[in-house]
């Protein structure tokens, strides 16, 4: 719109189908400026997407180096018609914990018993661990 650089929030508003009409209204009557804003928003979106961690399964070595990081457990289908599932987790001192398991547990007690988490070298079930779910925004 002006000479100010576009912020990531402005770019997101232009790219978001829920807010793009409102965001682009500021460029009404100036097709060249509107096109430039869309191109800049796309450029900024591409930069943000490329900066996101890949959505590939984490290795046991990567998990051992992690501490206090959010992850996702992705489970394969168990029977015909089952699409599999996923749940949020956290890695503490290289051990895997399901958020569902931690709910209601005292945080201090959990840290004192850090050995009770799943060991990446000896998982308790059939699952893969990801930093994010494919399509999820980084954050």
């Amino acid at each position: 719109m002006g000479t100010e650089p576009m912020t990531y929030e402005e770019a997101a508003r232009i790219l978001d189908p829920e807010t793009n009409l409102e965001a682009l209204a500021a460029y009404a009557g100036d097709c060249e400026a509107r096109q430039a804003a869309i191109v800049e928003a796309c450029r900024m979106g591409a930069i943000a997407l490329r900066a996101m961690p890949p959505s590939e399964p984490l290795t046991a070595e990567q998990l051992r180096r992690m501490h206090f990081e959010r992850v996702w457990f992705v489970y394969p289908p168990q029977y015909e018609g089952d699409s599999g599932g996923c749940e949020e987790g956290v890695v503490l001192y290289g051990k895997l914990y399901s958020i569902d398991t931690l709910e209601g547990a005292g945080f201090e007690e959990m840290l004192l018993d850090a050995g009770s988490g799943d060991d990446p070298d000896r998982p308790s079930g059939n699952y893969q661990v990801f930093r994010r779910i494919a399509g999820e925004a980084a954050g």
Side-chain angles (χ1 to χ4, degrees):
M1 208 161 72
T3 58
E4 298 279 324
M6 183 178 290
T7 66
Y8 277 97
E9 180 56 32
E10 290 168 332
R13 289 180 47 75
I14 289 171
L15 296 173
D16 186 340
E18 300 279 329
T19 57
N20 66 358
L21 291 177
E22 181 184 328
L24 290 171
Y27 303 95
D30 188 347
C31 290
E32 193 173 307
R34 185 182 185 116
Q35 179 67 29
I38 293 169
V39 168
E40 178 64 6
C42 289
R43 186 190 69 75
M44 293 175 73
I47 289 169
L49 286 170
R50 288 184 183 116
M52 290 176 70
S55 184
E56 297 175 3
L58 295 164
T59 65
E61 180 60 33
Q62 289 172 313
L63 290 166
R64 277 192 294 276
R65 290 191 315 249
M66 294 170 73
H67 175 60
F68 218 66
E69 293 188 51
R70 176 183 173 204
V71 295
W72 288 91
F73 299 98
V74 177
Y75 302 95
Q78 300 297 310
Y79 50 86
E80 190 174 327
D82 180 24
S83 61
C86 67
E87 67 177 308
E88 191 174 5
V90 66
V91 180
L92 296 169
Y93 302 110
K95 298 282 188 175
L96 302 168
Y97 295 90
S98 161
I99 294 297
D100 291 342
T101 302
L102 296 178
E103 282 183 356
F107 187 69
E108 185 178 337
E109 290 81 13
M110 181 195 63
L111 288 177
L112 292 173
D113 189 23
S116 69
D118 227 15
D119 187 321
D121 292 317
R122 293 181 297 287
S124 63
N126 185 15
Y127 58 82
Q128 292 180 307
V129 183
F130 295 80
R131 286 188 193 276
R132 64 179 182 87
I133 296 297
E136 176 191 72

